[in-house]
Amino acid sequence: MKYHSEKKEWITIKCIFLLLGCIFLVSCTSSPSEQIRKKGNRPIDPWALRSVLDLKPRILTLALDSECYLAYDLNACGLYRAWKGGVNWDGTVYTETKVAQPTSWGKDYFLNPSLQESWLLEQNGRKQEVTTRFQGYRFESGQIYLKYRLTTEKDTIFLEERPEFIRDDQGNPGLERVFTTQGMDGNLSITLLTKPKAIKLKNNTTTISRTFFKKIPDQVRPMGPKNSENLGKYWMERSDCFTCHEWSENTVGPGFQQIAEKYSDDEMAVDLLVKKIKDGGSGVWGDAAMNPHPNLEDSSLSAMVNYILSLDYKDSTKETSNQEKKTIVNKSPSTETKALRPGFGSPLNRVHPSYDLQTISVKGIEFKVGGLAFLPDGKLLVSSWTPQGEVYLLEGVETGDNDKIKIKTMAKGLAEPLGLAVVENEIFVLQKQELTQLIDHDGDGITDEYKSICNSFDVSMDFHEFAFGLVYKDGYFYANLSMPMRLMANEKPLPDRGKTLKIARDGSYEEVIHGLRTPNGIGIGKDEELFVTDNQGQWLPGNKFIHVRSGDFHGMRWGLPDSLQSLKMVPPAVWLPQNEIANSPSEPSLLYDGPYKNQMIFGDVTHGGIKRVFLETVNGSYQGAVFRFAQGLNVGINRIRRGPDGALYAGGVGMGGGWGWNETRQGLQRLKYNKKVTFEILAIRSKPNGFEIEFTEPLAIGQGDASSDYLVEQWWYKPTEAYGGPKMDLEVLKASEVKIGANRKKVHLTLPGLKKEHVVKFNLNPELRSINGQNLWSSEAWYTLNNIPKN
C-alpha cells in the first residue's frame, strides 16, 4: 500500500545516494587504502529509538553495534554522544517507575555536551545566523538517513546524514558519517563543529567522514536501586549530583554506593547528610569541596539521601526484617462496609446490554493502546505505549473472528505514541516530543520514513509531560500537552505545557486553550465541536469534560505570570467527580447508535469502563449530565474510535502505582450495537424551575411518581493549589412536584433552591421498572448546572 509520495526536494538527494558506490570523497584520520568493514550488528530491535535520554528531551538513540551507540540531540540536529555500553531504559513506559527517564551507561568515544552552535555557516567568509530543524529520518537497505534543514536569512539548505559503525583492518572501532547537501549557494560553506573533529561539508554533493577509536573494554551495566522508588534519583538528576559522583566509583567525590555503605548503621544519617548537602563542605572524603545547595528543599534532599542509602546491599537480612516489621505494623482489622450494587453507587461490572463484546487478541502482542485510527480501506491502526513504541496494522477486525485477523508491525522505535490520525490515507502519530508522519514508500506496509511535522513545542525531561491524542479538523491537527509533575522550587512549567495546540501541516502551531493539567483525551463530538477531558489534581477539584473554545482558561495556574494569576477559570461543560464517575478520563467520542445518537462517551484509565455524556446548550454554552455506561471490559479504557463497520473499538493501558484499572495493563475490544433496549436514564435537561429526566423506555404504571424516588444533591467546587478538592456547601434538594409525561418516558422535577454553577447529582430509586419489566441499568447521574435557562 502506498501512503505518501515524497516531496520533490528530496528526490535529488535519493538519487545522489544511489550513486554513493561510485563516489569516494573522504575526510578521515585513516588512510583511504585501509580495508573498512561496514555495517554493525544491531544489538537490539528496534535499534533506532526516540526517548528522553540523560535529561535531554528529544533524543534519537541508534544502537549501531554492541561496540557503538549514538545519541542525536534533535533539538540541535547534532550528535550528542558516541559510546560503548547501553541505555538504562527506566521510566513509566519501561519499568513502571514514575519519576525516572532513560540514561546512558558505559564509556564514551566522545561527548558533545553543548550543541547549540554546532553548525557554522559562512557566506563569502562572513558568519551567518542559522536556524536548524530536524525533519525526520528514513531507512534504506538496513541503514538510517537523518534529515536536517538549515535556514539562514536568504538560504535554505537540506542535508542528509547516514551514520554507520565501521572497523579498520586492525579491528579498531570507528564511525562513518556520510553527509549529502542540497540547495547550497556557491559562496556558502558549512562546517559541523563537532567532536572528535570538525567536518567541513562539500557543496551540493557528498562528504564522507571516518574516525577510528581505541578499543574500549567490555562495559558493565551499573547497579541500580534495589527498590522501584526513584523520586530521590529524580531529584539527584535535576540537581548537579552526577557532576562529581558516580554510582559505584570514586571520582571527584565518593561513589553513591560507598556513601550508602559508610552510613548504613547510622540512624542519624539522613539528617546529617541533608545538612551536609545543603551547607556544602569538605573533609570527610578528602579535600575536594562539595558545593552548597541552599535552594533545595529539605523534602527533596531527604528523598535524595534515602535513595542513596538504599544502594547498600550488604545487610539484606536487616532490610527483610524491617520490611516484615513494617508489614506487621501496617496491619489493621478489616471493617465491614455495606456493599453497593454495580451501577447504584459503585462502578458497573458488566458490558452494556445493548452492545455485544468481542476481545481482539493476537498471540504474542500486547495491545497497550496509545492511539486508534482507521485507514479508508477499513484496516485498524493501533499505537502501543510500550518500550518499543510500535504501531500495528490490523486487517479483518470487523469479522469478529480473531483467527481471521492479520497483523503487521508497521512502525517502531517511537516515544510514547499516544495519538493517531489518518488524513486522506496519510498516517500521523503523536509522540511525546513530536508530531510525525509515517510514510511507506515501497507499499509493503512497513514505514520507511519517519517525517517530522512539528517538533518545536516545549518539552522537558519530566516523565509527566505527555502529548495526548490527535485529531484532524478543517486542515489542522489538534493535540494536548500535559503539565510536568516534579518541579524543583525554582522551576516553572514550560510555556506550551497544559495547553491544547492547533498544528498546521508546515509545523507551525498556536495555543487554543490553556490551564489544563493532564488532558488525556481529545475528540470531535456534538455539533462537530472539539472536546477534551482533564484529570483532577492541583487547581482541579474534580475531573473535567471540556468544550474547546479558543482562548479559554481552565484553571491550572502553574506557570501563569503574576499578572494573570487572577484569571477566571471557565467551567467545564461537565464536572466528573473523582472516584464517583471518573478518575483518569480519556478520549471523548461521538455515539451514532439508537437512542444515544449525538451523545458522547469517554473512557477512563483508572476508574475503568466507558461513561456517557448528554449535552445541551444553555445561554450559549454546553452543559449536561454524565452517566455510567459500560464495564465488563478487560482494561482501563484509554482510546475509543468508531470503525467503518459502525462498531466501537476500545483500547486500554495501565501500569502499577495507581495508573490503571484493577491492575490490568492492556486490551483491545470491539463493541457492536445489537439494538436491544436497555432501561436507563437517556437524558437530563435543565428547566427554569428544575429538570426533565428522560428514560429509554416508559416507566411502569405506579413507578417514579413519588418525590422519594429521586434523591437530589447539589454542591460546587472551589479550585485551590491543593490536589483535588471537597464538595462545597453540599445540600440535599427535595422535589416539590413530580410530573410524569403522557408517554411515561419523561419526568419533570420541580426543585426549589437550585443554584447555577453547581453540580447536581441524581440518585434514582434502584427498584424503578419500565413498562416492559426491566430494572434500571444504573441509577446515578451528575449534571453540571453552569446556567439555569430562563424559559
Side-chain angles (χ1 to χ4, degrees):
M1 67 193 74
K2 191 76 172 177
Y3 299 130
H4 183 73
S5 295
E6 180 56 300
K7 289 185 177 180
K8 293 180 180 178
E9 62 195 27
W10 286 109
I11 294 176
T12 303
I13 292 178
K14 187 170 183 181
C15 293
I16 290 172
F17 270 93
L18 292 175
L19 299 175
L20 276 178
C22 302
I23 298 174
F24 194 69
L25 301 172
V26 182
S27 169
C28 61
T29 57
S30 61
S31 167
S33 63
E34 288 181 305
Q35 297 296 313
I36 307 299
R37 291 184 286 143
K38 296 183 181 179
K39 193 181 279 192
N41 297 312
R42 316 301 190 214
I44 57 175
D45 182 27
W47 58 272
L49 298 104
R50 296 290 301 273
S51 74
V52 172
L53 185 73
D54 299 342
L55 311 187
K56 296 179 180 294
R58 286 190 173 99
I59 293 291
L60 172 64
T61 298
L62 304 180
L64 296 182
D65 190 271
S66 58
E67 294 282 319
C68 183
Y69 278 65
L70 302 182
Y72 282 84
D73 185 337
L74 304 184
N75 276 338
C77 295
L79 180 53
Y80 152 62
R81 165 171 268 166
W83 77 101
K84 180 177 179 178
V87 176
N88 282 318
W89 297 105
D90 199 4
T92 52
V93 71
Y94 308 100
T95 57
E96 299 196 352
T97 304
K98 290 184 181 179
V99 290
Q101 291 281 24
T103 53
S104 59
W105 60 268
K107 188 171 181 178
D108 290 319
Y109 294 113
F110 61 86
L111 175 67
N112 289 299
S114 179
L115 295 165
Q116 278 67 32
E117 296 185 7
S118 56
W119 293 96
L120 174 63
L121 272 70
E122 294 178 303
Q123 186 89 39
N124 295 320
R126 296 182 62 183
K127 183 178 177 180
Q128 303 290 302
E129 293 293 327
V130 61
T131 301
T132 62
R133 181 183 171 190
F134 174 70
Q135 293 201 296
Y137 52 91
R138 63 182 179 88
F139 292 95
E140 186 175 311
S141 301
Q143 294 181 300
I144 192 168
Y145 295 78
L146 285 69
K147 297 185 176 186
Y148 316 128
R149 187 181 72 194
L150 309 184
T151 305
T152 67
E153 185 178 353
K154 296 181 179 180
D155 298 290
T156 299
I157 301 98
F158 297 97
L159 293 91
E160 272 198 342
E161 176 186 353
R162 192 269 291 153
E164 189 54 87
F165 175 76
I166 57 175
R167 291 184 187 274
D168 63 15
D169 54 359
Q170 282 81 43
N172 293 309
L175 177 62
E176 179 183 78
R177 301 175 72 181
V178 178
F179 298 89
T180 300
T181 57
Q182 184 187 28
M184 288 179 64
D185 182 274
N187 297 318
L188 185 69
S189 69
I190 301 177
T191 303
L192 176 56
L193 303 177
T194 183
K195 293 180 180 179
K197 61 182 180 180
I199 304 171
K200 187 169 183 178
L201 305 186
K202 299 178 182 297
N203 287 30
N204 302 322
T205 186
T206 299
T207 304
I208 304 176
S209 173
R210 295 190 183 116
T211 307
F212 294 94
F213 312 103
K214 291 182 180 179
K215 292 181 180 179
I216 294 177
D218 289 343
Q219 299 294 291
V220 178
R221 184 189 299 269
M223 189 161 23
K226 195 167 185 178
N227 57 51
S228 61
E229 179 49 70
N230 280 340
L231 181 57
K233 175 174 177 281
Y234 182 84
W235 291 129
M236 290 162 64
E237 291 173 339
R238 298 299 291 269
S239 63
D240 61 353
C241 296
F242 291 94
T243 303
C244 301
H245 301 274
E246 298 288 345
W247 292 109
S248 57
E249 296 182 5
N250 293 329
T251 53
V252 177
F256 293 125
Q257 194 167 346
Q258 279 73 46
I259 297 173
E261 292 170 357
K262 177 179 177 63
Y263 291 98
S264 61
D265 298 319
D266 189 344
E267 295 181 357
M268 304 298 294
V270 174
D271 292 339
L272 173 69
L273 293 176
V274 165
K275 186 175 188 303
K276 186 172 289 292
I277 296 171
K278 197 157 203 170
D279 296 343
S282 62
V284 176
W285 298 92
D287 296 331
M290 180 172 64
N291 294 329
H293 299 80
N295 295 324
L296 290 176
E297 296 178 338
D298 286 352
S299 59
S300 302
L301 290 170
S302 295
M304 293 159 66
V305 170
N306 278 300
Y307 174 81
I308 292 169
L309 296 179
S310 75
L311 301 175
D312 175 29
Y313 299 111
K314 286 185 175 179
D315 197 349
S316 59
T317 304
K318 181 176 71 173
E319 184 171 346
T320 301
S321 63
N322 286 340
Q323 182 63 38
E324 289 173 353
K325 181 179 178 181
K326 180 179 179 181
T327 303
I328 294 171
V329 169
N330 287 341
K331 284 185 177 180
S332 60
S334 60
T335 56
E336 293 185 2
T337 58
K338 183 179 179 180
L340 297 171
R341 287 168 54 188
F344 302 85
S346 68
L348 295 163
N349 63 356
R350 291 185 294 129
V351 180
H352 194 283
S354 299
Y355 290 81
D356 295 328
L357 180 70
Q358 171 211 355
T359 297
I360 298 172
S361 177
V362 179
K363 187 176 181 180
I365 301 294
E366 274 194 331
F367 289 116
K368 301 184 79 170
V369 178
L372 295 172
F374 283 90
L375 290 167
D377 61 7
K379 295 184 179 71
L380 173 62
L381 295 166
V382 181
S383 66
S384 195
W385 195 65
T386 55
Q388 294 76 30
E390 305 98 334
V391 175
Y392 299 112
L393 181 65
L394 281 74
E395 182 179 356
V397 291
E398 75 286 350
T399 64
D401 186 347
N402 285 328
D403 291 335
K404 294 180 180 179
I405 293 176
K406 298 177 181 178
I407 189 168
K408 178 177 288 187
T409 302
M410 70 160 299
K412 54 188 175 181
L414 300 167
E416 302 186 43
L418 291 173
L420 275 172
V422 174
V423 182
E424 296 179 353
N425 219 30
E426 296 179 335
I427 300 170
F428 299 85
V429 60
L430 185 68
Q431 303 187 65
K432 189 181 186 78
Q433 318 94 337
E434 181 181 286
L435 173 59
T436 309
Q437 183 179 358
L438 306 179
I439 305 173
D440 171 20
H441 286 296
D442 57 14
D444 64 355
I446 297 174
T447 300
D448 302 304
E449 181 176 352
Y450 296 73
K451 182 179 181 180
S452 176
I453 300 299
C454 180
N455 59 9
S456 55
F457 55 81
D458 293 325
V459 63
S460 78
M461 53 75 65
D462 190 278
F463 76 99
H464 198 262
E465 286 192 352
F466 303 103
F468 286 125
L470 193 61
V471 166
Y472 188 79
K473 183 177 186 289
D474 299 331
Y476 293 91
F477 296 97
Y478 292 84
N480 297 331
L481 302 184
S482 69
M483 283 285 189
M485 184 169 283
R486 306 293 185 189
L487 293 176
M488 302 190 81
N490 61 338
E491 290 182 310
K492 290 186 177 181
L494 295 169
D496 288 335
R497 306 315 302 184
K499 296 180 177 180
T500 296
L501 299 185
K502 177 182 179 181
I503 305 172
R505 292 291 294 262
D506 65 3
S508 60
Y509 67 91
E510 60 185 80
E511 166 193 322
V512 184
I513 60 174
H514 64 132
L516 305 172
R517 180 181 178 268
T518 315
N520 179 23
I522 182 167
I524 299 175
K526 184 176 174 62
D527 303 323
E528 293 295 309
E529 292 289 310
L530 280 172
F531 293 86
V532 304
T533 59
D534 203 2
N535 285 204
Q536 175 183 273
Q538 292 85 355
W539 294 107
L540 276 82
N543 305 284
K544 295 180 177 183
F545 190 91
I546 295 167
H547 173 223
V548 176
R549 298 186 310 181
S550 182
D552 281 358
F553 170 67
H554 286 281
M556 182 50 154
R557 299 188 181 276
W558 284 8
L560 280 182
D562 293 340
S563 60
L564 295 179
Q565 283 296 332
S566 60
L567 199 61
K568 186 177 180 181
M569 181 197 79
V570 174
V574 182
W575 282 103
L576 311 173
Q578 177 83 346
N579 296 326
E580 293 181 42
I581 188 62
N583 187 292
S584 302
S586 55
E587 183 170 80
S589 186
L590 190 65
L591 280 170
Y592 296 83
D593 302 327
Y596 313 110
K597 185 176 181 179
N598 292 326
Q599 295 195 20
M600 296 187 69
I601 53 175
F602 64 90
D604 196 291
V605 173
T606 304
H607 195 257
I610 299 174
K611 329 295 179 178
R612 177 169 55 88
V613 174
F614 166 79
L615 292 172
E616 60 178 343
T617 304
V618 178
N619 296 350
S621 298
Y622 287 112
Q623 61 186 46
V626 58
F627 313 91
R628 305 187 193 280
F629 192 59
Q631 188 46 282
L633 307 174
N634 58 11
V635 67
I637 298 303
N638 192 41
R639 299 289 177 257
I640 304 174
R641 288 292 170 99
R642 183 175 185 265
D645 58 345
L648 298 173
Y649 290 80
V653 71
M655 61 170 274
W659 282 12
W661 172 77
N662 206 26
E663 292 300 314
T664 54
R665 300 293 197 272
Q666 61 91 29
L668 177 61
Q669 294 177 293
R670 175 177 177 265
L671 294 100
K672 182 69 174 176
Y673 183 59
N674 59 26
K675 299 183 180 180
K676 295 178 182 177
V677 178
T678 300
F679 179 49
E680 60 184 323
I681 306 170
L682 178 63
I684 298 179
R685 299 177 181 89
S686 59
K687 299 297 179 181
N689 61 351
F691 288 93
E692 177 188 87
I693 301 175
E694 181 180 4
F695 295 92
T696 54
E697 281 191 322
L699 287 161
I701 302 299
Q703 295 281 303
D705 52 5
S707 62
S708 58
D709 288 330
Y710 308 92
L711 173 62
V712 184
E713 301 171 296
Q714 72 174 356
W715 67 85
W716 62 282
Y717 283 122
K718 180 181 180 179
T720 70
E721 60 184 340
Y723 186 98
K727 299 174 179 178
M728 308 294 292
D729 300 329
L730 175 65
E731 60 180 321
V732 176
L733 301 177
K734 185 174 182 180
S736 62
E737 185 178 22
V738 178
K739 276 188 177 181
I740 298 181
N743 65 3
R744 300 195 63 79
K745 275 191 172 184
K746 294 181 179 179
V747 176
H748 185 277
L749 299 182
T750 301
L751 289 165
L754 275 177
K755 299 171 185 175
K756 72 174 186 176
E757 299 178 358
H758 279 57
V759 178
V760 183
K761 182 180 179 182
F762 296 83
N763 202 332
L764 276 58
N765 181 354
E767 304 306 321
L768 289 180
R769 295 187 307 280
S770 73
I771 198 169
N772 294 318
Q774 286 199 72
N775 291 320
L776 274 174
W777 173 240
S778 178
S779 68
E780 294 176 294
W782 293 260
Y783 189 101
T784 298
L785 190 65
N786 291 326
N787 293 289
I788 298 175
K790 296 178 181 179
N791 49 55

